RNA sequence: GUCCCCAUGGUCUAGUGGUUAGGACACCACUCUUUCAAGGUGGUAGCACGGGUUCAACUCCCGUUGGGGACGCCA
């Protein structure tokens, strides 16, 4: 049975790179009807925290990557590692190292100054008995693996990858605080947890060589390895905080749908073949195969993610979308009072111009409250282009006609407005734009008549009055000020 | 500096010796339209370079160049 794992370290948020690795492991496991294990690699006690464990768990759940086993915590497995380290010590395959960080740092600096490659100099391998006894009394010791063989393994993606023993240093397997290091805990756990395929980022290739040596030392059969290419920033360097958001939960909070996020990540390095782009989770599981994973690092293109998110939003039913939208609007004014049916109608109008859930309020707050601000400059541009005018008497005329309307559905309102325009022998646009501006404070948005139907007759009239009394004077002042400014030059 | 990985438009990719090198994002234009989106139509743009192998190379091999990664008692 296929068994894979995701082994994040709770020293930070779940990185999108780790998220994609988790996704590929998950897809591979589900495709092969195997098991997906979650293991928390918290051997760095200082930097690990429970909060980060929660964040990781939440991130994986948000993406829909449910694990079959775990989470296992390496911090709870100290004894297991210690026993295994003892075996290697007794077999003479590892040796104690008493060097301090500072001492090593000093020696390393000197080597690097000479432009030579640094590797642990084996100082503690050649200690005299006397030195050993003294250090044993005075210092904490780490355990180093004595590298005597070259390492080689078959990567399912890259083929055979070799590394000469001269290029591998005697690496630490147990730290001076008694905790196993990553390379050691990882090997012990992957073996003990019967992991069949280790699928991880290619930044681990050099670790894999060390780990191969450990498998051999224990006489264990190593699992299969797949080293995935990295996710890159726009400059083609490994994606990191300085590029953009790298935390999965940040994408959730910015209004991405998990389905879109997962779909996008899946395609970053894997292709189902052909021209397929929008693929459901189930299809991904069905189609996933390691043979179709690429070897090239992929740039994380936020634009494409946003497009894809828009596609998913459009494909989501209004009712479902309402549920997804709730976290983004429940703290906004009057959204509760207006009720779900009202919000649903707004969703109907806004849905196709949304590519992030978080844009809902930004685009449609005026459905709930008076416009927070009026884009006077934007509107002024229309005026200059001759596409709109501010004429109080026209707005007055519109209000008067609205008051007489029995019905206020979009068709009736449209008929009414067009009729006024015709009577005045002007283009409807000259009325439509000012009304849109008066009602929403914006120059862009959904069809005017549809949004008026939702706002309702009373609210429309109320806003038109408010506009005439409060905004037009402001508008005049601002325009005049601009004129004066222009004249003074 | 040492070792390792990689190479199809700006980006994600399809392609596994014979294709007018296909799709998507982005960009541009046109269209629809009361605006913005969405939609529709069209367009710009690519096999890094040099050697082989072969009747034939984007495709296979070698090298160069370019990019990336690893060199922690971090994971």
């Amino acid at each position: 049975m296929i068994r894979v794992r995701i082994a994040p370290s709770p020293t930070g948020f779940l990185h999108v790179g780790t998220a994609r690795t988790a996704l590929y492991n998950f897809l591979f496991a589900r495709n092969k009807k195997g098991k997906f294990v979650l293991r928390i690699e918290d051997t760095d006690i200082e930097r690990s925290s429970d909060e980060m464990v929660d964040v990781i768990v939440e991130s994986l759940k948000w993406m829909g990557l449910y694990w079959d086993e775990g989470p296992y915590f390496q911090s709870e497995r100290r004894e297991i590692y210690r026993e295994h380290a003892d075996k290697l010590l007794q077999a003479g395959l590892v040796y104690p190292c008493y060097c301090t960080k500072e001492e090593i740092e000093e020696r390393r600096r000197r080597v690097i100054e000479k432009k030579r490659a640094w590797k642990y100099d084996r100082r503690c391998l050649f200690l005299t008995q006397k030195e050993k006894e003294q250090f044993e009394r005075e210092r904490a010791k780490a355990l180093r693996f004595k590298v005597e063989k070259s390492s080689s393994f078959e990567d399912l993606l890259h083929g055979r990858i070799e590394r000469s023993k001269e290029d591998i240093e005697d690496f630490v397997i147990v730290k001076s605080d008694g905790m196993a290091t990553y390379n050691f805990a990882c090997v012990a756990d992957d073996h003990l947890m019967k992991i069949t395929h280790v699928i991880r980022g290619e930044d681990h290739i050099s670790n894999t060589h060390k780990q191969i040596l450990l498998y051999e030392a224990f006489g264990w059969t190593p699992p299969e390895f797949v080293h995935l290419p990295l996710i890159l920033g726009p400059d083609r360097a490994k994606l990191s905080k300085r590029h953009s958001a790298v935390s999965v939960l940040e994408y959730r909070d910015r209004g991405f749908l998990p389905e879109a996020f997962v779909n996008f990540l899946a395609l970053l390095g894997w292709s189902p073949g052909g021209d397929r782009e929008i693929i459901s989770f189930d299809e991904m599981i069905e189609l996933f195969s390691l043979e179709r994973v690429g070897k090239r690092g992929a740039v994380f293109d936020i634009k494409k993610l946003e497009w894809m998110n828009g596609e998913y939003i459009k494909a989501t039913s209004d009712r479902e979308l309402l549920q997804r939208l709730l976290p983004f609007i429940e703290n906004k004014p009057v959204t509760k009072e207006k009720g779900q049916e009202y919000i649903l109608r707004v969703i109907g109008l806004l849905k196709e111009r949304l590519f992030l859930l978080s844009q809902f309020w930004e685009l449609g707050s005026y459905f709930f409250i008076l416009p927070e601000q009026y884009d006077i400059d934007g509107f002024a541009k229309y005026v200059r282009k001759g596409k709109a005018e501010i004429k109080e008497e026209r707005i007055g005329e519109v209000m008067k006609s609205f008051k007489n309307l029995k019905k206020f559905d979009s068709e009736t309102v449209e008929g009414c407005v067009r009729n006024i325009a015709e009577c005045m022998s002007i283009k409807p646009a000259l009325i439509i734009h000012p009304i849109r501006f008066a009602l929403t404070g914006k120059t862009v948005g959904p069809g005017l008549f549809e949004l008026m139907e939702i706002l309702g007759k009373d609210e429309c009239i109320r806003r038109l009055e408010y506009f005439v009394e409060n905004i037009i004077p402001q508008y005049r002042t601002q325009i005049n000020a601009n004129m004066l400014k222009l004249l003074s030059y």
Side-chain angles (χ1 to χ4, degrees):
Chain A
M1 153 126 65
I2 298 286
R3 287 172 61 84
V4 296
R5 80 319 192 264
I6 182 67
S9 172
T11 53
F13 304 101
L14 190 72
H15 190 282
V16 295
T18 316
R20 190 196 53 168
T21 303
L23 174 61
Y24 284 16
N25 273 283
F26 177 90
L27 293 175
F28 182 65
R30 286 285 181 279
N31 177 271
K32 299 280 186 201
K33 308 265 181 279
K35 296 281 187 221
F36 176 55
V37 178
L38 172 60
R39 185 172 73 222
I40 304 293
E41 309 229 310
D42 52 354
T43 51
D44 187 340
I45 302 146
E46 292 283 302
R47 294 202 286 164
S48 298
S49 76
D50 291 348
E51 292 81 70
M52 288 306 143
V53 172
D54 292 342
V55 167
I56 287 165
V57 162
E58 211 179 327
S59 301
L60 290 172
K61 283 184 176 168
W62 179 68
M63 289 175 67
L65 307 182
Y66 294 92
W67 51 96
D68 306 298
E69 259 183 50
Y72 296 110
F73 291 85
Q74 292 189 324
S75 57
E76 293 169 2
R77 299 166 60 82
R78 291 176 81 105
E79 272 310 298
I80 297 171
Y81 307 136
R82 220 181 51 80
E83 283 166 24
H84 283 86
D86 276 347
K87 280 185 199 162
L88 295 186
L89 189 61
Q90 270 150 37
L93 296 169
V94 301
Y95 61 94
C97 173
Y98 306 93
C99 297
T100 65
K101 244 183 178 162
E102 293 72 29
E103 286 169 349
I104 291 177
E105 189 47 46
E106 174 62 28
R107 277 181 266 154
R108 185 200 343 239
R109 236 191 38 236
R110 279 208 291 264
V111 170
I112 288 178
E113 264 170 23
K114 290 184 206 149
K115 297 229 175 224
R116 307 266 300 161
W118 159 263
K119 196 170 80 158
Y120 178 67
D121 51 15
R122 294 194 153 174
R123 165 120 355 149
C124 289
L125 183 58
F126 304 113
L127 256 26
T128 63
Q129 194 56 35
K130 222 175 123 187
E131 287 172 318
K132 229 178 194 171
E133 281 164 15
Q134 188 186 349
F135 279 148
E136 193 63 33
R137 266 178 275 120
E138 296 174 353
R139 294 187 176 197
K141 65 163 176 279
L143 252 34
R144 278 188 191 271
F145 186 85
K146 194 165 32 164
V147 175
E148 290 175 312
K149 286 185 201 157
S150 296
S151 157
S152 161
F153 67 94
E154 193 74 23
D155 185 286
L156 259 31
L157 194 61
H158 300 285
R160 179 149 298 276
I161 303 180
E162 294 171 338
R163 192 157 208 210
S164 146
K165 64 176 188 291
E166 281 75 31
D167 296 323
I168 309 174
E169 73 167 355
D170 289 352
F171 55 95
V172 172
I173 63 160
V174 176
K175 301 185 246 186
S176 51
D177 67 359
M179 191 49 173
T181 59
Y182 161 72
N183 278 312
F184 189 60
C186 184
V187 167
D189 285 345
D190 283 339
H191 177 258
L192 264 16
M193 294 173 188
K194 300 187 178 354
I195 299 302
T196 58
H197 298 253
V198 170
I199 305 170
R200 64 190 7 163
E202 72 181 5
D203 49 348
H204 280 287
I205 289 178
S206 57
N207 284 324
T208 302
H209 285 112
K210 296 174 183 173
Q211 296 181 196
I212 288 288
L213 261 20
L214 288 172
Y215 281 104
E216 286 174 0
F218 282 117
W220 294 338
T221 308
E224 301 287 351
F225 289 100
V226 180
H227 291 93
L228 302 172
L230 302 175
I231 296 182
L232 277 24
D235 59 357
R236 302 206 74 90
K238 188 158 95 160
L239 185 71
S240 70
K241 260 187 209 147
R242 78 188 158 83
H243 297 295
S244 60
V246 289
S247 149
V248 169
L249 292 188
E250 208 170 324
Y251 285 89
R252 177 196 65 184
D253 297 342
R254 277 162 64 172
F256 287 97
L257 255 22
E259 294 89 335
F261 186 69
V262 163
N263 192 157
F264 174 74
L265 278 190
L267 259 32
L268 221 50
W270 171 76
S271 159
D275 296 337
R276 310 209 47 195
E277 295 252 60
I278 305 282
I279 318 160
S280 75
F281 211 25
D282 289 339
E283 285 173 302
M284 273 179 229
I285 290 170
E286 195 187 327
L287 296 170
F288 189 82
S289 81
L290 292 173
E291 288 76 53
R292 298 204 63 88
V293 172
K295 292 195 245 184
R296 236 252 269 210
V299 174
F300 190 94
D301 181 5
I302 189 82
K303 282 274 185 211
K304 186 150 186 177
L305 209 208
E306 286 172 347
W307 164 78
M308 194 170 272
N309 204 50
E311 292 299 302
Y312 271 88
I313 286 177
K314 269 175 259 172
T316 306
S317 74
D318 292 1
R319 252 170 221 292
E320 177 60 28
L321 206 50
L322 172 64
Q323 295 307 312
R324 309 293 192 108
L325 237 20
L326 249 27
F328 294 89
I329 58 172
E330 57 196 359
N331 58 343
K332 304 291 189 197
V334 295
T335 48
K336 283 205 181 65
E337 292 81 341
K338 288 285 187 183
Q340 297 210 342
E341 289 310 312
Y342 183 84
I343 300 175
L344 241 20
R345 296 170 72 198
V346 176
I347 288 174
L349 283 196
L350 254 29
K351 186 158 133 176
E352 66 185 17
R353 36 207 108 215
L354 235 49
F355 57 86
L356 292 173
L357 296 178
S358 52
Q359 288 174 312
F360 182 81
W361 186 256
E362 170 191 324
L363 258 42
S365 62
Y366 57 80
F367 282 107
F368 303 91
I369 54 173
L370 272 177
E372 290 168 290
Q373 68 189 103
Y374 289 80
D375 178 14
I376 291 178
D377 289 341
F379 186 72
K381 279 180 197 150
Y382 273 140
V383 176
R384 261 181 267 126
K385 281 188 198 159
K387 281 174 137 185
E389 290 173 320
I390 283 280
K391 295 224 164 124
E392 281 169 52
E393 57 275 22
R394 283 185 194 162
I395 295 174
E397 192 60 37
V398 170
M399 277 191 284
K400 213 163 68 191
S401 306
F402 280 3
K403 280 179 187 157
N404 294 329
L405 287 178
K406 298 252 165 19
K407 278 166 66 186
F408 206 73
D409 57 282
S410 67
E411 277 157 38
T412 310
V413 181
E414 177 162 10
C416 172
V417 169
R418 289 192 188 277
N419 192 256
I420 296 170
E422 202 175 320
C423 290
M424 293 180 166
S425 323
I426 53 170
K427 284 192 210 158
L430 288 176
I431 297 185
I432 289 171
H433 289 303
I435 298 179
R436 169 191 301 286
F437 184 56
L439 295 176
T440 69
K442 295 177 188 294
T443 57
V444 299
L448 177 68
F449 308 114
E450 289 155 300
L451 76 84
M452 285 202 282
E453 178 181 326
I454 293 182
L455 279 174
K457 179 172 156 180
D458 294 346
E459 182 63 22
C460 285
I461 292 170
R462 191 163 79 91
R463 287 194 189 183
L464 288 175
E465 277 168 358
Y466 178 84
F467 183 74
V468 169
E469 281 165 27
N470 297 288
I471 307 303
I472 290 185
Q474 263 186 52
Y475 174 79
R476 292 260 144 81
T477 338
Q478 190 162 335
I479 296 291
N480 288 339
N482 285 342
M483 292 287 283
L484 284 174
K485 236 196 292 181
L486 283 173
L487 287 172
S488 70
Y489 279 121

